Every structure is written in structure tokens, then in C-alpha cells.
Amino acid sequence: MSKGYWVVTGNIHTPLGMVPYINKFTAWLPTVGARLLIRDLQSEVREGTPGSVNIIVEFDSKEKAVTAYESTKYQELLNLRLQNSDLSLTITEELIN
């Protein structure tokens, strides 16, 4: 089965305001079987305008990534993030050859 991923890019405009979200998000990830693979808050952008934040979260499948995003708990966390950042989140699937 292919892994699922959240690919997050963008900017944080209120860093201190993100602290509650980050703490709760980090604690929540293991409860949905997810792993934080990449968290780079000062990425060196070479092409395009994705912002300085890059985060990749891995799930056991794309379906689990979708279910986690749509969960009541994450939607509550999302409200904490939205007021302090301009981030895009894409749910995608691992390429298996």
C-alpha cells in the first residue's frame, strides 16, 4: 500500500501565535499514526513563491491522511493555525514503481 503525505508550504506571520498549534499538533500526530518527516521553517526557496515553511507528514496511506485531515480534532487544530499563518496543505500519495 502506498504511503500518504501532507505537503505543507507557506509562511508563518505570527510565530509566537503558532506555539499552541505546534504543541498540540506534535502531540496529535502519533494518535493518528502519522510521522513528521520534514519541518523546515527557513527553507531556501530557489524557484517559485511557496514561502519559507516546508513540512511533510507521512501516513500509512492516502486514505489515512485524508481521514486525519477531516477529523474533528484536526479541524479544531486548524483554527489555531489559520489565524497565525498562510500555509497551503496538499494531500498526496507515494509513487511506487
Side-chain angles (χ1 to χ4, degrees):
M1 179 181 293
S2 299
K3 302 270 187 184
Y5 297 91
W6 288 3
V7 179
V8 182
T9 61
N11 291 299
I12 294 172
H13 52 74
T14 313
L16 289 177
M18 287 292 287
V19 172
Y21 169 80
I22 292 168
N23 290 337
K24 291 178 180 185
F25 177 72
T26 303
W28 172 78
L29 286 176
T31 70
V32 292
R35 293 158 294 288
L36 186 60
L37 295 182
I38 295 172
R39 182 178 63 194
D40 187 348
L41 304 179
Q42 297 180 8
S43 299
E44 292 186 33
V45 177
R46 301 299 172 111
E47 296 182 25
T49 55
S52 61
V53 174
N54 285 287
I55 298 167
I56 298 178
V57 180
E58 182 182 65
F59 295 83
D60 290 336
S61 68
K62 184 175 181 182
E63 292 76 23
K64 289 186 179 184
V66 169
T67 299
Y69 183 83
E70 293 175 349
S71 72
T72 301
K73 182 64 177 175
Y74 185 71
Q75 293 304 305
E76 291 169 5
L77 292 174
L78 182 58
N79 286 327
L80 294 174
R81 186 190 64 135
L82 290 174
Q83 54 193 309
N84 297 297
S85 65
D86 295 310
L87 299 175
S88 296
L89 186 150
T90 303
I91 299 174
T92 190
E93 189 171 43
E94 172 183 32
L95 173 65
I96 296 181
N97 295 326

